Amino acid sequence: MVMRFLFGLFFLFWVPIWTVPANAELVDRIVAIVNDEVITLSELEEAVSPYVGQIRTAGYGPEKKQEMLFKVRQDILNRMIERKLTEQQGEALGVSVSEREVDERIERIKEEEFLTEEALKEALAEEGYTLEEYRKRIKSQILGAKLINKEVKSKVAITEDEIRAYYDEHKDAFAAQKKYHLRTILVRVDWEDEADKRAAQEKIETVAIKSRAGVPFADLARQYSEDITAEDGGDIGWFSIQELTQELRETVRWMEEGEVTPVLETEQGYQILKLEEIEGSAGKTLEEAKAEIQETMYRRMVERRYDDWLKELREDAYIKIVQ
């Protein structure tokens, strides 16, 4: 959870994909030119290498794994190009970030996550980063936020008529609805490996039998689940019916509190869920929903204008990707 917070904003779409064998010598070269600056292969490798294991151990089949690795490599390189463009635009506009601002941001992160200096360094090291590398990323993140405020957010305005129109178009979202509190137990499967499939199936059947026999679901999750929520007893939180996948919607909507689903086959493996609790929520009037609508519309408009802004930067720049 700590590292997801530390890197969540900056690496929203960043996942690792390319590795170099330990005994191979990396010959550096240019992989992209952005105006008068370059991105090198070593920089790209440095950016992606801490995350390679996440894809390789996620349980995907060989073809799916290679597809993800290739796609993510392109995503990462694009984000590096956008970062270069952002930094160049910041310099052109006289927008800068001081070391004191970086210090303050890191101190705030440490306070919010209850981290000491050593604990932060250890958490970063586990992900393959030094504190100095993390400082550079925080600095770039702050610069990006300043530019968004200057070039994007300052130009966004939402009228009362737009808020009312949004409310009228999304009345179902503000009507009374149920929320479902779910827990899960996941047994990961390599679908290409028949022996692994059989072992996983035996494991999930054992879990299902114990659940039906009255063993607390949370205890079973802590003992058997391979999901990241295992330590929390498989608790994945509250969901409206619209937030669930189509398959789960048709299962959960007819369940009662305390019921457990049959074994489900998902991309990552075999899974069962328990409907812990159902909670009804009252509908909202336009006045009650106004602040929520304004925040939603504002965020979407900022995201859209930010994408347009980045697109304009790219169109005005000289960019060459070297294969």
Side-chain angles (χ1 to χ4, degrees):
M1 289 299 291
V2 169
M3 292 315 302
R4 202 159 56 229
F5 175 82
L6 294 177
F7 290 97
L9 290 176
F10 192 82
F11 292 104
L12 184 58
F13 299 98
W14 286 36
V15 186
I17 46 70
W18 213 257
T19 56
V20 177
N23 61 347
E25 181 180 352
L26 179 64
V27 179
D28 210 2
R29 63 179 177 84
I30 294 173
V31 293
I33 302 171
V34 186
N35 291 319
D36 58 350
E37 295 186 84
V38 300
I39 297 171
T40 64
L41 178 60
S42 62
E43 290 173 325
L44 179 59
E45 292 292 342
E46 181 183 354
V48 304
S49 62
Y51 302 92
V52 172
Q54 294 177 18
I55 285 183
R56 301 210 180 279
T57 61
Y60 299 112
E63 291 185 6
K64 179 68 174 178
K65 188 184 298 181
Q66 286 304 114
E67 177 187 338
M68 290 183 67
L69 293 179
F70 177 79
K71 181 180 183 302
V72 173
R73 183 175 193 273
Q74 306 309 310
D75 288 342
I76 292 174
L77 185 55
N78 276 329
R79 295 302 175 271
M80 294 181 76
I81 290 171
E82 289 173 359
R83 188 173 72 180
K84 284 284 186 189
L85 290 171
T86 300
E87 290 171 351
Q88 292 169 3
Q89 185 69 1
E91 185 175 349
L93 294 172
V95 178
S96 62
V97 178
S98 68
E99 292 303 311
R100 180 178 177 180
E101 289 176 287
V102 177
D103 290 338
E104 290 174 350
R105 174 66 64 84
I106 291 178
E107 285 304 314
R108 190 158 62 250
I109 290 172
K110 286 161 60 178
E111 288 175 8
E112 291 171 352
E113 295 299 307
F114 304 102
L115 291 170
T116 63
E117 184 80 5
E118 283 305 311
L120 174 62
K121 289 180 180 178
E122 289 175 9
L124 290 169
E126 287 177 4
E127 297 296 319
Y129 285 93
T130 66
L131 182 58
E132 187 58 34
E133 289 167 340
Y134 185 57
R135 287 181 64 86
K136 290 178 182 178
R137 282 156 176 76
I138 290 292
K139 188 172 185 177
S140 181
Q141 184 180 331
I142 296 172
L143 176 62
K146 285 187 174 184
L147 284 170
I148 290 172
N149 285 333
K150 181 179 179 65
E151 297 290 290
V152 180
K153 288 185 177 180
S154 62
K155 301 173 183 177
V156 173
I158 301 169
T159 67
E160 292 289 332
D161 288 342
E162 288 173 325
I163 292 174
R164 179 177 293 278
Y166 184 96
Y167 180 83
D168 290 339
E169 291 171 8
H170 300 84
K171 280 188 175 178
D172 288 346
F174 301 105
Q177 59 178 298
K178 292 180 179 179
K179 287 278 190 177
Y180 301 86
H181 183 193
L182 299 173
R183 292 182 184 271
T184 186
I185 296 174
L186 170 69
V187 176
R188 296 187 183 277
V189 179
D190 180 353
W191 294 111
E192 304 294 324
D193 188 330
E194 289 298 325
D196 190 59
K197 285 171 60 177
R198 286 194 298 272
Q201 191 169 27
E202 290 176 6
K203 184 175 179 179
I204 199 69
E205 286 175 356
T206 297
V207 173
I209 290 170
K210 289 187 175 184
S211 176
R212 289 194 293 271
V215 178
F217 194 91
D219 292 346
L220 291 171
R222 293 186 185 96
Q223 182 176 357
Y224 293 101
S225 183
E226 297 168 15
D227 188 66
I228 59 173
T229 60
E231 290 186 3
D232 296 325
D235 192 339
I236 56 176
W238 290 87
F239 298 85
S240 66
I241 202 70
Q242 293 84 4
E243 292 173 314
L244 299 173
T245 64
Q246 186 62 39
E247 179 184 16
L248 287 182
R249 286 182 196 176
E250 297 310 311
T251 301
V252 171
R253 74 164 70 245
W254 305 111
M255 292 174 66
E256 296 181 1
E257 290 184 356
E259 277 195 85
V260 177
T261 67
V263 175
L264 306 171
E265 289 188 12
T266 67
E267 190 173 276
Q268 292 185 319
Y270 294 114
Q271 190 173 15
I272 57 176
L273 295 102
K274 179 183 179 182
L275 177 54
E276 191 78 20
E277 188 178 357
I278 302 174
E279 185 179 83
S281 61
K284 293 182 180 180
T285 64
L286 172 60
E287 193 59 33
E288 291 170 332
K290 184 177 178 179
E292 180 183 343
I293 293 172
Q294 190 168 22
E295 173 62 26
T296 299
M297 293 185 69
Y298 181 78
R299 184 176 64 252
R300 290 180 181 177
M301 289 178 71
V302 167
E303 289 172 354
R304 186 167 61 249
R305 295 203 177 191
Y306 177 66
D307 289 340
D308 291 342
W309 179 69
L310 279 178
K311 184 179 178 181
E312 289 175 8
L313 287 182
R314 295 185 76 115
E315 289 174 350
D316 294 338
Y318 172 76
I319 299 172
K320 181 177 180 180
I321 297 175
V322 183
Q323 300 296 333

